[in-house]
Amino acid sequence: MRPAVLATILALLLCNRLMTTSGKEQDAGKLTTLTKEQWRQDLQYFARELPKRHKNAFHDVTREEFERMVAELDARIQSLQEDQIAVGMLQITAKVGDAHTYVHLPQPVKVYPLALYWFGNDLRVIAAAADSQRALGARLVRIGDLSISEVMTRMRSIISQAENELLVLNSSQSYITTAAALHSLGIASDPDHAKFTFEDDEGKQFTLDLQSTPATGPIKLNGLRATKEPPLYRQKPAEPFWFTYLEEPQTLYVNFKGYAALGENAKKLFDFIDHHPVKKLVIDMRQNGGGDFFEGRKHLIQPLKQRSSVSQKGRLFVITGRNTASAAMANAIDFRKELNAILVGEPIGERPNSYAERKDMKLPNSGIVVSYSTQYYKFLDEDVPAVMPDKRIDPDWQNYKAGRDPVMEWILSYADGR
């Protein structure tokens, strides 16, 4: 699985906001007060061990630049707070460049009670806690004195810089609600409070002074209420794999968000396929942040090869998005290559040829977890920034607000030869 800052599945689903850096569970221990010398020891351990353990730590950053950044951070440690030191190391791993190499911010991570999502150039509030309900549906236009454009310029320094723009969108919409990121990047002067300025659909701006909350468990956020029943992809947010049959179009919709119990879930899926008429099979992976792509090949790709009635052009559709990553990206490519699937949605938020297979190490004094890549994978012959869908359909605010899913609408209306 690849990093993002919080459990980024929140972007469409709402709530579990345990800090990592892409839909991952945080493993860093709680910090006790460290001396500046202990922080320097951790930084030196980080600088020594990361290049030794990473498959190729200098695939995008030079050794000289890496060492310069380490030296600059070391020189500033005396004047920095703990969150600023951790974010300083995160900036170094962002320069390394691949999405599986990053620093987990120390627990307890503090977050602002909002869930944000990019719709084109607009960063909208799609969920909010009870005390910030006024912001629900509004555009975020400024934090403190900085415009969102200026905020994004600073945010890019902590996001993997050799991946693609979809990863930037996916990661930034979570980092922007993280107190440590805002404070350490000089966006908010206070580590516990920040002023967020929004603009509603009538063009009226208003500012909320929000307090950060420790993400020690799920944070209750209320999502935007659609004008009708939520579309399929926004239903059952806690279930990693579920399916439903749309009788009139004889279409089987599969929501594939995670690899947990995939073998058991896939057996139920194929038993249904074998006993019902299925004209179209839709596998929705736009919220799938990864797992083990060999499991996907074993339990989904291979069984589908034995079912030619659905594994043919115009019958099998795979939905992708900015949060489709790592193993999910590999399996989306498999569906296209091996089974003639039509990919629909956004480009995938990760480079198809890059470093992956994450392992972790702990810094000796702080216990901060640092993830790093141990393998290089080449999933496409051509080295391109992203896996592009056959039919690109980007998220649109008006459709989201209305509870519509243009991706599924396009698939259901698809006819051979289109």
Side-chain angles (χ1 to χ4, degrees):
M1 298 177 79
R2 71 123 195 264
V5 77
L6 305 174
T8 38
I9 293 177
L10 72 79
L12 300 173
L13 305 181
L14 307 183
C15 302
N16 289 335
R17 306 192 38 140
L18 295 179
M19 178 64 183
T20 77
T21 43
S22 154
K24 319 301 170 285
E25 294 179 78
Q26 169 68 304
D27 188 33
K30 293 182 179 179
L31 289 179
T32 56
T33 301
L34 301 181
T35 66
K36 299 302 184 181
E37 182 55 34
Q38 286 175 312
W39 276 112
R40 288 195 173 93
Q41 291 170 2
D42 272 9
L43 177 59
Q44 293 309 313
Y45 182 91
F46 164 87
R48 180 175 65 252
E49 292 296 321
L50 182 61
K52 291 195 324 191
R53 299 177 185 227
H54 195 288
K55 177 69 174 177
N56 177 14
F58 305 114
H59 62 86
D60 198 62
V61 67
T62 65
R63 183 181 292 273
E64 291 74 21
E65 186 176 7
F66 178 89
E67 292 175 349
R68 177 186 58 77
M69 292 182 73
V70 169
E72 289 177 351
L73 179 57
D74 183 82
R76 292 188 296 119
I77 280 179
Q78 189 63 38
S79 63
L80 298 180
Q81 297 178 25
E82 291 178 340
D83 63 335
Q84 295 171 318
I85 299 171
V87 170
M89 289 189 282
L90 178 57
Q91 289 176 307
I92 297 172
T93 56
K95 276 289 188 180
V96 171
D98 59 86
H100 290 76
T101 300
Y102 57 100
V103 172
H104 301 247
L105 297 183
Q107 292 185 339
V109 172
K110 291 184 176 181
V111 297
Y112 292 99
L114 303 169
L116 305 173
Y117 200 80
W118 285 103
F119 296 90
N121 294 322
D122 291 344
L123 184 59
R124 295 271 182 172
V125 179
I126 61 169
D131 60 356
S132 51
Q133 286 293 290
R134 186 182 177 191
L136 197 55
R139 290 193 309 121
L140 178 59
V141 296
R142 190 166 64 253
I143 301 176
D145 296 328
L146 298 180
S147 68
I148 286 303
S149 175
E150 293 170 312
V151 168
M152 281 298 295
T153 297
R154 300 190 186 197
M155 283 290 160
R156 287 177 180 275
S157 74
I158 59 174
I159 298 171
S160 303
Q161 293 173 19
E163 294 289 349
N164 63 35
E165 198 62 22
L166 275 298
L167 176 72
V168 173
L169 293 181
N170 196 42
S171 297
S172 64
Q173 61 200 20
S174 294
Y175 272 126
I176 288 173
T177 62
T178 306
L182 296 188
H183 177 236
S184 301
L185 297 175
I187 298 166
S189 59
D190 190 317
D192 297 314
H193 291 83
K195 291 185 177 181
F196 290 73
T197 300
F198 305 93
E199 183 175 286
D200 62 24
D201 285 342
E202 284 70 48
K204 182 179 179 180
Q205 292 193 2
F206 58 95
T207 299
L208 298 180
D209 189 349
L210 300 181
Q211 182 172 353
S212 61
T213 302
T216 54
I219 296 176
K220 177 62 177 176
L221 300 179
N222 299 313
L224 188 73
R225 289 176 179 258
T227 56
K228 57 182 179 179
E229 183 182 21
L232 290 171
Y233 78 96
R234 286 161 61 184
Q235 298 177 19
K236 303 181 182 180
E239 295 189 27
F241 190 104
W242 61 275
F243 59 88
T244 189
Y245 186 60
L246 309 179
E247 291 193 23
E248 186 175 341
Q250 295 184 342
T251 296
L252 185 59
Y253 171 85
V254 182
N255 191 291
F256 178 23
K257 289 193 288 286
Y259 288 75
L262 183 58
E264 178 183 344
N265 288 324
K267 285 180 182 179
K268 296 176 183 177
L269 171 67
F270 290 116
D271 180 68
F272 186 95
I273 289 174
D274 293 341
H275 293 91
H276 294 81
V278 177
K279 289 184 178 179
K280 290 178 182 176
L281 174 60
V282 181
I283 301 178
D284 192 340
M285 302 179 72
R286 75 186 102 176
Q287 299 159 8
N288 192 322
D292 183 342
F293 68 83
F294 291 107
E295 288 291 293
R297 289 175 175 176
K298 176 181 177 181
H299 297 299
L300 290 175
I301 305 299
Q302 291 304 319
L304 274 172
K305 283 185 176 180
Q306 301 168 18
R307 292 165 172 84
S308 58
S309 62
V310 289
S311 59
Q312 54 182 276
K313 190 81 169 180
R315 290 208 163 189
L316 177 60
F317 299 83
V318 172
I319 304 177
T320 62
R322 66 188 68 172
N323 198 50
T324 309
S326 197
M329 174 187 66
N331 287 149
I333 294 171
D334 290 335
F335 280 119
R336 175 188 267 169
K337 281 186 173 181
E338 304 291 330
L339 299 165
N340 300 305
I342 297 174
L343 270 56
V344 188
E346 287 184 297
I348 290 177
E350 187 176 356
R351 293 188 75 94
N353 302 335
S354 187
Y355 292 85
E357 290 297 340
R358 192 193 87 185
K359 286 189 177 180
D360 299 333
M361 65 179 182
K362 277 190 177 183
L363 303 185
N365 296 316
S366 64
I368 286 177
V369 174
V370 180
S371 294
Y372 55 92
S373 297
T374 62
Q375 297 291 332
Y376 178 80
Y377 285 112
K378 185 173 183 177
F379 290 112
L380 291 181
D381 293 334
E382 185 181 3
D383 189 19
V384 293
V387 178
M388 300 298 294
D390 300 291
K391 174 63 177 181
R392 179 167 181 169
I393 303 176
D394 291 320
D396 171 81
W397 170 242
Q398 294 302 325
N399 284 317
Y400 184 92
K401 183 170 65 171
R404 294 180 55 200
D405 183 4
V407 176
M408 275 299 292
E409 291 175 7
W410 185 87
I411 291 172
L412 291 173
S413 67
Y414 179 90
D416 291 340
R418 282 185 51 180

